[in-house]
Amino acid sequence: MQYDLKEKVAVVTGGARGIGLAIGEALAAAGAIVTLVDLRLEKTTLAIQPLQELGLPVMATAANVSHPDQVRAMIKAVLDRWERIDILVNNAGICPMTPVEEITPEEWDTVLGVNLKGAFLCSQAVIPAMRRQGSGKIINIASSAGQMGGLAVGLHYSASKAGMLGLTKGLARILAPHIQVNAVSPGTTESEMTSGWTQQAIDDIISKIPAGRLGRKTDVAAAVCFLVSDEANFITGQTLSVNGGLLMV
Ligand SMILES: NC(=O)c1ccc[n+]([C@@H]2O[C@H](COP(=O)([O-])OP(=O)(O)OC[C@H]3O[C@@H](n4cnc5c(N)ncnc54)[C@H](O)[C@@H]3O)[C@@H](O)[C@H]2O)c1
């Protein structure tokens, strides 16, 4: 089903590649005007070229989501240009595989800073505009690691993604009834993030997935498109798992 997101203004963080880029493409294909945010402008600009050649309204901008000033400036720039933000997708994330004994306090702070604080900062920055509009959708890209403990990832990653589920529910209550906040929780998904994993690690994970394969970026993007559509207006504070049955709750 193609959802109608015509003229909705969307911001997707971590959009230079992987799942974020796929979400940006899917939102734009459904009619949204999409700004993809990532660390390096050149990389994001290059990544969106094929989408722009297809005529999709996709723009690139740079910000580190863990830096409050950069987040505020990025959201202000989008609002200056489009005067509204209908959709925020907090997708930017990092996933070190560091064994628990070797995680330093600094690395812990970095992972929580990008994955969890970044989602908080971006959400906080869009709230005034969404409240003014009387509508808005915030999607947090969590992870099955946050629901069940990671199979191969670092403990800080699992903790940050569990935190995103609490952030989702808290924000959903605070921002009701006009703004909906939901999480999409992928299981292991084919992307640059997982492309360096050993075949043995991948095979081990696939053996635990009833669907018998890893997730695809488009699986996650489709879930996001549903949740930001008007068809999902009665859904808030929920976690939509996109994991092939790895975890059934
Ligand atoms: N790939 C998976 O198996 C999987 C599974 C579950 C959840 N996720 C989550 O999905 C999201 C996207 O994952 P992916 O596989 O596409 O990863 P990826 O590494 O391919 O892409 C992540 C993007 O986020 C950007 N980014 C990192 N730190 C940033 C920061 N501080 N500010 C702005 N941008 C930043 C990176 O530059 C990169 O372009 C992440 O939140 C990840 O935790 C991925």
Side-chain angles (χ1 to χ4, degrees):
M1 176 173 181
Q2 179 77 350
Y3 298 103
D4 182 9
L5 304 177
K6 204 157 179 283
E7 283 162 28
K8 302 276 187 199
V9 177
V11 173
V12 182
T13 68
R17 68 179 201 184
I19 293 171
L21 186 59
I23 292 170
E25 179 173 1
L27 294 176
I33 300 159
V34 180
T35 298
L36 295 179
V37 185
D38 212 293
L39 292 170
R40 297 210 341 265
L41 183 60
E42 320 78 63
K43 206 178 144 198
T44 318
T45 304
L46 211 61
I48 64 173
Q49 261 175 19
L51 308 186
Q52 290 176 326
E53 281 160 16
L54 290 172
L56 295 175
V58 183
M59 278 131 288
T61 191
N64 183 328
V65 296
S66 66
H67 290 207
D69 294 348
Q70 293 185 30
V71 168
R72 274 195 294 270
M74 175 273 290
I75 295 296
K76 181 176 181 308
V78 176
L79 287 171
D80 286 349
R81 175 69 181 84
W82 301 108
E83 297 178 352
R84 54 186 299 119
I85 294 179
D86 301 288
I87 296 164
L88 167 67
V89 183
N90 288 310
N91 167 80
I94 51 175
C95 182
M97 320 280 276
T98 317
V100 62
E101 299 88 345
E102 294 169 26
I103 297 174
T104 62
E106 292 74 25
E107 185 176 306
W108 178 274
D109 286 348
T110 301
V111 173
L112 273 284
V114 174
N115 296 2
L116 184 55
K117 187 174 79 178
F120 159 67
L121 291 173
C122 293
S123 302
Q124 188 185 43
V126 300
I127 286 171
M130 287 186 174
R131 281 202 159 130
R132 231 178 5 255
Q133 295 159 199
S135 66
K137 304 268 190 185
I138 299 175
I139 304 294
N140 294 318
I141 305 300
S143 168
S144 53
Q147 297 169 292
M148 58 183 278
L151 297 177
V153 298
L155 178 66
H156 37 13
Y157 180 81
S158 298
S160 71
K161 294 299 183 176
M164 287 184 94
L165 302 180
L167 181 81
T168 301
K169 292 172 194 172
L171 272 178
R173 277 188 201 284
I174 292 165
L175 299 179
H178 300 301
I179 300 165
Q180 290 81 46
V181 187
N182 290 291
V184 170
S185 184
T188 308
T189 304
E190 292 164 352
S191 80
E192 289 84 342
M193 185 180 266
T194 49
S195 60
W197 295 13
T198 63
Q199 195 53 48
Q200 195 187 331
I202 297 285
D203 289 346
D204 187 44
I205 290 170
I206 290 176
S207 72
K208 297 183 172 72
I209 302 174
R213 66 167 175 85
L214 296 187
R216 300 186 185 116
K217 294 175 247 190
T218 47
D219 295 326
V220 182
V224 172
C225 284
F226 165 59
L227 285 172
V228 302
S229 72
D230 285 346
E231 281 75 7
N233 280 350
F234 197 53
I235 300 175
T236 196
Q238 304 303 311
T239 300
L240 178 47
S241 298
V242 182
N243 63 24
L246 172 71
L247 170 72
M248 303 185 189
V249 284

